[in-house]
Amino acid sequence: MKESIKAVCCKNILNESAFRIAYFISLFLSGVVFLDIVSVFLCVIIFIWSLFIFKNKLKHKVLREVKYSKIIFLFILFSIITAFINVRMGFPISFLAGLVIIYHSAICFFIFYGMYCESSFEKIKKEIILLCKILVTISTALVILGFIVLLVGDSFSFEFTIPIIDNYEHYYRILGIVKNTASVRFTGVFINPNILAFSSVVSIIFCHILYRTNQFYFLEKKWAQVLLVTLIVSTHFSALILSDSVASFLFLVIYAIFWLFYKLVLEKNISTIKSIVKHGIIFLFGCLILIFGLFALRAYFQNNASNIIDELCSIITNSTSPHEDLYDIHFGRPNYDIRSGSGRRLLLKQAMFIFLKHPFLGIGSTNILAYGDIYFESGAAFSNFHNGYISILVCNGIIGFMLFITFLFMILFDLILFFLKNFNSLKNTVFINLIICFFSYLIFAMFEKTLLSEINFMSIFFWLILGYCMSFFIKYIVKTVK
């Protein structure tokens, strides 16, 4: 009996699919007010869980089977060297936090990207569908809850002290709308409008996957699926527009453009120059309509959102003007100067200055504010450079950056070649969604806290999608060899 219980526990604790879902959802919850506190404890438990998985991988020498593992090992090694070189900066908290981020990167590389080494392809396909359903369900419920909060009142603030943590970041959160001198942004029950926006984009992409696989929950009739998809996508698209996150909106636009290119050009099996020109023109016109249409809809909805919400609130409460504080609010950033990149230009200037001071091994992922206090009068503009590539360049130096870029380009080469050779046989699979999402994310990574810059939902999403893409790649390559 004891042996059977031990076997069951061992089997569950080594279940990498369950681990990935748990880690992904816990990082998603870290972007939700109040749940962000709970998610910290969840992440600690999950990190302990990962130790057993890594122990098992070392025992069976699985780590070496991960594609381009030598480059990965070198990247992690130089990251550790960088952390020890900068150990004096904010010791011990920043140093320990830096080691945790390095360990997180190992999880990204070996458990997410390298998922194909341990899990069967059939299990991974089931995992994709299950995770899509879980994420869409939770995120949609939270976004709807955010809109309910908006109907009750435009904003609610919460503030309290958390021992130890309060020394580094005071807990202050706003529900509903975040209002500054030059911006009004919907944040709902998320800790930041950008996190709400990114979660909504991910939910829309996951809805697309579920719809294409005909596994949209338990609905069998097509009209019911279309209706539910329309309601969910409309909810998330509304939240995305009202959050006024330019980066996440561009992510969705780029995903839509790539999908349009696939449907209008690649899927058509074009063989003549005349067909290439014809479908190329159709695609360009389609892009213009799509881009101008989405941005026009965005502007119109932002301009009229307060009136719509006020009317909706009037109907619900049976009052002529129940929401005077919300009426005539203009969502977005009316005085937003896109040339400044919402402060990103300053961040890039500071990043380049710090990089030139520490070009080879970098400063470490958790020392941006400390070095900002040394080099700049007003300190670093933010604790992150809002650019995944620049963050790796500055934090890991030119050595770490070149190792990561080499890894990324080799993966890109493999996936692009694989896609071009097999897109006909893959057109009815979720690989098409995944590869388009992967390419779109690589552009999105230039504008947000992505890749390996922080332990957050934005970064883990990239490694999850990459792992799923690689699972298809390995499965079909092995099948071709056989």
Side-chain angles (χ1 to χ4, degrees), residues 237 249-264 282-298 436 440:
F237 190 67
F249 190 78
L250 284 175
F251 183 18
L252 184 62
V253 170
I254 294 164
Y255 177 85
I257 289 171
F258 282 159
W259 180 257
L260 196 66
F261 178 74
Y262 170 74
K263 295 298 288 184
L264 294 179
I282 293 172
F283 168 69
L284 289 174
F285 272 108
C287 281
L288 288 173
I289 294 169
L290 178 68
I291 293 169
F292 282 108
L294 286 175
F295 276 94
L297 180 61
R298 178 174 178 266
I436 288 173
S440 304

Side-chain angles (χ1 to χ4, degrees), residues 88-196:
R88 59 187 175 83
M89 303 301 294
F91 184 84
I93 299 298
S94 292
F95 173 69
L96 293 174
L99 293 181
V100 170
I101 290 179
I102 294 169
Y103 184 72
H104 163 76
S105 69
I107 292 174
C108 291
F109 280 119
F110 294 111
I111 300 180
F112 281 81
Y113 158 70
M115 66 174 71
Y116 55 85
C117 292
E118 284 289 327
S119 302
S120 70
F121 184 65
E122 291 304 315
K123 284 184 179 178
I124 289 173
K125 286 200 295 184
K126 289 178 182 178
E127 179 188 324
I128 294 171
I129 301 303
L130 177 60
L131 188 55
C132 285
K133 288 180 179 179
I134 293 171
L135 192 279
V136 170
T137 302
I138 298 173
S139 64
T140 303
L142 290 171
V143 169
I144 291 172
L145 180 60
F147 280 119
I148 292 171
V149 169
L150 200 60
L151 293 174
V152 176
D154 61 348
S155 63
F156 303 91
S157 59
F158 297 90
E159 182 177 11
F160 51 85
T161 300
I162 302 175
I164 301 176
I165 296 174
D166 199 61
N167 295 330
Y168 300 91
E169 184 186 359
H170 185 63
Y171 194 89
Y172 178 75
R173 299 287 186 260
I174 296 175
L175 299 180
I177 299 174
V178 176
K179 290 183 282 189
N180 294 316
T181 53
S183 69
V184 177
R185 306 178 66 188
F186 176 57
T187 192
V189 295
F190 290 79
I191 64 174
N192 185 292
N194 292 333
I195 295 172
L196 163 65

Side-chain angles (χ1 to χ4, degrees), residues 214-449:
N214 201 31
Q215 297 195 53
F216 208 80
Y217 299 96
F218 301 104
L219 300 175
E220 293 182 3
K221 294 184 178 179
K222 202 69 176 178
W223 68 266
Q225 289 186 24
V226 171
L227 179 61
L228 186 56
V229 168
T230 303
L231 290 173
I232 292 174
V233 169
S234 299
T235 301
H236 285 289
F237 190 67
S238 301
L240 171 63
I241 292 174
L242 297 183
S243 71
D244 197 48
S245 173
V246 178
S248 292
F249 190 78
L250 284 175
F251 183 18
L252 184 62
V253 170
I254 294 164
Y255 177 85
I257 289 171
F258 282 159
W259 180 257
L260 196 66
F261 178 74
Y262 170 74
K263 295 298 288 184
L264 294 179
V265 180
L266 293 181
E267 198 180 43
K268 299 298 181 182
N269 292 323
I270 300 170
S271 56
T272 64
I273 295 175
K274 184 180 178 181
S275 295
I276 292 172
V277 173
K278 177 186 173 182
H279 286 89
I281 292 171
I282 293 172
F283 168 69
L284 289 174
F285 272 108
C287 281
L288 288 173
I289 294 169
L290 178 68
I291 293 169
F292 282 108
L294 286 175
F295 276 94
L297 180 61
R298 178 174 178 266
Y300 175 82
F301 195 76
Q302 284 185 345
N303 290 334
N304 294 279
S306 62
N307 296 338
I308 295 168
I309 295 168
D310 190 76
E311 287 295 327
L312 191 61
C313 192
S314 299
I315 294 168
I316 294 170
T317 60
N318 257 344
S319 173
T320 54
S321 184
H323 240 226
E324 291 181 8
D325 54 343
L326 182 61
Y327 194 74
D328 282 339
I329 281 179
H330 184 281
F331 283 92
R333 287 168 274 191
N335 301 317
Y336 180 71
D337 183 4
I338 199 165
R339 292 173 298 177
S340 71
S342 186
R344 282 171 172 79
R345 180 176 289 185
L346 174 60
L347 282 172
L348 292 178
K349 284 182 179 178
Q350 291 184 341
M352 287 301 101
F353 184 89
I354 295 173
F355 169 69
L356 292 173
K357 292 287 184 180
H358 307 269
F360 298 109
L361 290 170
I363 63 170
S365 301
T366 56
N367 298 319
I368 295 172
L369 291 178
Y371 277 103
D373 291 336
I374 294 171
Y375 295 127
F376 312 115
E377 250 184 74
S378 56
F382 199 73
S383 59
N384 190 284
F385 296 117
H386 279 69
N387 183 309
Y389 308 104
I390 296 298
S391 294
I392 292 174
L393 178 64
V394 177
C395 297
N396 297 84
I398 192 67
I399 296 174
F401 180 77
M402 290 308 298
L403 286 168
F404 182 80
I405 290 298
T406 301
F407 164 80
L408 192 59
F409 271 110
M410 292 174 84
I411 292 296
L412 268 172
F413 179 78
D414 286 339
L415 290 177
I416 291 172
L417 199 63
F418 170 68
F419 175 65
L420 293 176
K421 285 182 177 179
N422 300 281
F423 67 81
N424 277 328
S425 60
L426 291 164
K427 65 182 179 180
N428 293 321
T429 69
V430 296
F431 178 79
I432 303 300
N433 299 81
L434 297 171
I435 194 72
I436 288 173
C437 182
F438 175 67
F439 291 146
S440 304
Y441 188 99
L442 292 177
I443 300 171
F444 167 76
M446 295 189 289
F447 309 104
E448 267 298 351
K449 302 181 287 183

Side-chain angles (χ1 to χ4, degrees), residues 1-57:
M1 182 67 178
K2 286 184 179 179
E3 288 182 5
S4 61
I5 293 172
K6 185 179 178 181
V8 170
C9 291
C10 185
K11 183 181 178 181
N12 289 329
I13 206 166
L14 297 178
N15 187 333
E16 293 190 24
S17 180
F19 173 86
R20 283 189 293 272
I21 292 172
Y23 196 39
F24 185 76
I25 296 301
S26 68
L27 289 181
F28 168 76
L29 295 178
S30 69
V32 181
V33 176
F34 301 135
L35 294 180
D36 55 341
I37 301 170
V38 178
S39 71
V40 173
F41 298 101
L42 284 176
C43 284
V44 170
I45 294 169
I46 291 168
F47 266 41
I48 295 170
W49 182 0
S50 69
L51 292 173
F52 292 96
I53 293 175
F54 273 117
K55 181 184 176 183
N56 184 62
K57 284 180 175 291

Side-chain angles (χ1 to χ4, degrees), residues 201-220:
V201 172
V202 171
S203 297
I204 291 170
I205 293 171
F206 279 5
C207 271
H208 191 203
I209 290 173
L210 290 173
Y211 181 74
R212 286 195 69 237
T213 54
N214 201 31
Q215 297 195 53
F216 208 80
Y217 299 96
F218 301 104
L219 300 175
E220 293 182 3

